[in-house]
């Protein structure tokens, strides 16, 4: 029959009638999905999630908004992922990474936390824009591909139950699920618990943030991280207080290594 993929039956002849029927049904379903998708696109044409201007595909940014994001590409510090103004050679470390090495092994981020990247993070976290998670998670999987190649399991930074009840979702868990799906790495959404409700970190200095995070986390399933290479996922890296606190808990749980992947990170002026 024209248009059907070629297939042989058990004896090399025509495929069985029931198999042929299943193929016809599969083709019909795919055609129906394509028709529905086309009708939806006509009724609700794809638009930029930031400025709402029309775009070529669903979930994509328009050129103007894309240009407002300062993506972090090589060359950058191999430990902290902060961009260098010029190439210092393979494995180069920044001065902060040498003077005060982080407790985690490596960190990667999609972009600098300003402009369009900050808008995306805030829209996801504070404006219930969970539709942004697939795009943001896909970009994170690309930015963290070297970390994902070494990861055994993805662990999102958890929210306190009361904060989760207020927000109704954990943005780090949404991003972690998308990253795991894109990279084929297992996700452990319940690997950590937030056992102490902390005050908001906005406006706090690094020492205040560290004090605020002390004793805030606990391992929910120590056996799931022991001896494994963990990729810790969060939306933003600012002073590092949160991921430092979580990393120490994972180390106590005998994690073999802890890398960190975020969508955006704060970069000090003059370092990019």
């Amino acid at each position: 029959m024209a248009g059907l993929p070629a297939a042989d039956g058990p004896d090399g002849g025509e495929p069985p009638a029931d198999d042929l029927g299943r193929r016809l049904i599969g083709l019909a379903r795919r055609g129906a999905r394509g028709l529905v998708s086309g009708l939806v696109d006509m009724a609700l044409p794809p638009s930029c999630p930031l400025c709402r201007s029309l775009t070529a595909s669903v979930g994509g940014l328009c050129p103007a908004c894309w240009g407002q994001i300062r993506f972090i590409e090589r060359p950058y510090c191999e430990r902290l992922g902060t961009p260098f103004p010029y190439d210092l050679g393979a494995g180069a470390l920044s001065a902060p990474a040498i003077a005060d090495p982080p407790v985690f092994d490596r960190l990667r981020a999609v972009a600098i936390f300003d402009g369009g990247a900050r808008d995306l993070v805030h829209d996801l976290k504070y404006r219930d824009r969970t539709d942004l998670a697939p795009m943001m998670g896909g970009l994170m999987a690309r930015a963290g591909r070297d970390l994902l190649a070494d990861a055994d399991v993805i662990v999102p930074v958890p929210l306190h139950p009361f904060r989760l009840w207020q927000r109704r979702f954990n943005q780090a868990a949404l991003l972690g699920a998308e990253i795991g799906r894109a990279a084929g790495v297992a996700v452990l959404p319940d690997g950590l618990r937030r056992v102490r409700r902390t005050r908001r970190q906005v406006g706090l200095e690094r020492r205040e943030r560290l004090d605020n995070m002390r004793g805030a986390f606990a391992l929910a399933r120590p056996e799931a991280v022991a001896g494994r290479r963990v990729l810790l996922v969060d939306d933003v890296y600012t002073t590092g207080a949160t991921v430092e606190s979580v990393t120490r808990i994972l180390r106590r749980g005998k994690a073999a290594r802890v890398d960190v992947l975020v969508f955006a990170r704060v970069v000090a002026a003059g370092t990019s």
Side-chain angles (χ1 to χ4, degrees), residues 225-236:
V225 302
R228 307 184 78 185
R229 297 168 297 180
V230 175
L231 179 62
L232 185 64
V233 168
D234 205 0
D235 55 346
V236 179

Side-chain angles (χ1 to χ4, degrees), residues 166-218:
Q166 285 182 312
R167 193 172 292 168
R168 301 186 302 280
F169 64 90
N170 176 5
Q171 70 279 358
L174 292 181
L175 295 172
E178 296 295 339
I179 295 164
R181 188 175 298 115
V185 177
V187 182
L188 191 65
D190 57 348
L192 290 162
R193 292 183 297 119
R194 202 152 187 158
V195 295
R196 185 172 65 80
R197 188 181 174 193
T198 56
R199 58 181 172 142
R200 293 187 181 276
Q201 299 272 69
V202 177
L204 300 182
E205 299 296 330
R206 174 172 167 75
R207 176 50 55 189
E208 293 174 314
R209 287 175 179 243
L210 288 170
D211 291 341
N212 191 36
M213 288 293 110
R214 188 168 289 113
F217 301 98

Side-chain angles (χ1 to χ4, degrees), residues 41-63:
D41 283 348
M42 284 191 293
L44 300 170
S47 61
C48 174
L50 285 179
C51 71
R52 302 300 185 182
S53 63
L54 296 182
T55 57
S57 60
V58 176
L61 295 173
C62 72

Side-chain angles (χ1 to χ4, degrees), residues 11 21 24 49 51 55 66 81 91 111 136 176 195 206 217 220 254 259:
D11 58 356
L24 283 169
C51 71
T55 57
W66 186 268
M136 294 171 68
V195 295
R206 174 172 167 75
F217 301 98
K254 309 300 182 185
D259 291 322

Side-chain angles (χ1 to χ4, degrees), residues 81-178:
T82 47
F84 289 141
Y86 50 85
D87 195 350
L88 298 176
L93 299 179
S94 61
I98 296 171
D100 186 18
V103 294
F104 52 81
D105 291 281
R106 295 171 295 177
L107 181 142
R108 299 289 182 266
V110 172
I112 294 173
F113 186 57
D114 64 7
R118 181 179 54 212
D119 291 342
L120 286 170
V121 168
H122 286 176
D123 282 353
L124 171 64
K125 184 187 293 189
Y126 302 123
R127 302 183 184 103
D128 295 345
R129 291 292 308 280
T130 56
D131 58 295
L132 296 174
M135 178 190 68
M136 294 171 68
L139 290 171
M140 291 172 73
R142 175 183 173 276
R145 54 188 177 272
D146 56 335
L147 307 188
L148 285 160
D150 295 333
D152 296 317
V153 64
I154 294 170
V155 176
V157 172
L159 287 178
H160 186 272
F162 182 76
R163 185 70 52 78
L164 182 60
W165 175 79
Q166 285 182 312
R167 193 172 292 168
R168 301 186 302 280
F169 64 90
N170 176 5
Q171 70 279 358
L174 292 181
L175 295 172
E178 296 295 339

